[in-house]
Amino acid sequence: MSEHPAELLEQLRTIDTPTVCNALESCASHRRGFGYTVEPLVCTRPELGVMVGYARTATIRAQHPADRRNQPGDYYDYIDNGGPKPSVSIIQDLDGESRGYGSFWGEVNSNIHKGLGCLGVITDGSVRDLPDVAEGFQMMADRIGPSHAFVHVVSFGGVVSVCGMQVADGDLIHADQHGAVVIPHDVADKVMDAAAAIARREGVIIKAAQQPGFNIEKLREAQGNAAEIH
């Protein structure tokens, strides 16, 4: 399982998720149309900014009680010892059209996961207990709901799909209030340089657009100048 220097993760936290998506168009162009969330998520604490961590994946159900004969192993041991930290929990709700029927996430689980090195959760299920969630713990979900119903872990450590984003155990996740994206391990160290180059090109156009007398000719000139920046 890949693990990156802590300094790189800190650098990645200084840029937002749309910027990462833009950078990946440059350094991993084959991923332009996938690898990120494409359905809306409720970000319960946008003020927390960016989270960057390694995926811990799981699936849940809540509409019906668990079959006690087919329970998975120790999910919390997986969260603690399943790979590098910090982690981000990626939870797929298997209840189909009824996903979000019951929430796995609230005051108790947010505190447990935070204590085990998890920064937050991204799920196509529901979350609850918003005022009482662990301090600094981010929750991004399909919806907010009141009950946990019969929620239980079905599996963990496999490939999941959340809001159109396919995630494998150990993937590097970058997320903020806009959504989330998987950063391929083999280009993680190229993202910051790609983002800086994009910012320089965009800066030329933005600066021109903010000047008095800006018109289509000056836009074309600025676009030409931007294209020369690499």
Side-chain angles (χ1 to χ4, degrees):
M1 183 177 293
S2 296
E3 183 173 3
H4 302 283
E7 294 79 8
L8 176 59
L9 270 60
E10 287 297 329
Q11 291 171 1
L12 290 169
R13 291 188 187 102
T14 66
I15 57 177
D16 63 25
T17 302
T19 297
V20 172
C21 289
N22 288 350
L24 290 177
E25 292 174 9
S26 172
C27 59
S29 59
H30 64 288
R31 294 179 59 91
R32 184 169 185 147
F34 69 96
Y36 52 88
T37 54
V38 297
E39 298 171 11
L41 287 165
V42 176
C43 180
T44 63
R45 291 172 165 177
E47 70 278 6
L48 293 179
V50 174
M51 63 176 176
V52 180
Y54 301 95
R56 299 284 200 279
T57 60
T59 62
I60 59 168
R61 292 188 188 276
Q63 196 169 14
H64 304 290
D67 184 343
R68 297 298 177 186
R69 297 169 298 177
N70 295 302
Q71 287 297 289
D74 192 338
Y75 166 78
Y76 293 114
D77 180 71
Y78 164 65
I79 295 299
D80 191 21
N81 298 307
K85 297 179 183 180
S87 64
V88 177
S89 181
I90 311 293
I91 303 278
Q92 181 179 356
D93 190 321
L94 300 178
D95 279 330
E97 292 183 359
S98 296
R99 70 182 187 273
Y101 194 93
S103 175
F104 187 69
W105 293 96
E107 182 179 12
V108 174
N109 252 332
S110 65
N111 276 282
I112 291 172
H113 283 73
K114 180 183 177 182
L116 296 177
C118 187
L119 300 173
V121 59
I122 302 170
T123 180
D124 58 0
S126 61
V127 296
R128 65 178 193 157
D129 294 343
L130 300 192
D132 302 312
V133 167
E135 184 178 355
F137 191 84
Q138 182 62 277
M139 298 196 302
M140 300 172 64
D142 179 77
R143 67 196 69 187
I144 298 166
S147 176
H148 55 58
F150 303 103
V151 73
H152 58 279
V153 174
V154 175
S155 65
F156 57 84
V159 176
V160 298
S161 181
V162 172
C163 297
M165 179 180 67
Q166 183 169 292
V167 181
D169 172 68
D171 277 349
L172 184 60
I173 304 296
H174 191 287
D176 66 10
Q177 62 183 319
H178 301 93
V181 63
V182 175
I183 300 177
H185 287 297
D186 61 347
V187 299
D189 60 351
K190 299 179 175 62
V191 169
M192 294 304 297
D193 285 344
I198 291 168
R200 289 193 296 270
R201 289 192 291 269
E202 290 179 343
V204 171
I205 296 172
I206 292 169
K207 183 177 179 180
Q210 293 174 341
Q211 300 304 308
F214 180 69
N215 55 31
I216 187 62
E217 287 77 19
K218 292 182 178 179
L219 171 60
R220 289 171 178 157
E221 179 184 359
Q223 288 173 328
N225 292 335
E228 298 299 319
I229 298 175
H230 300 288

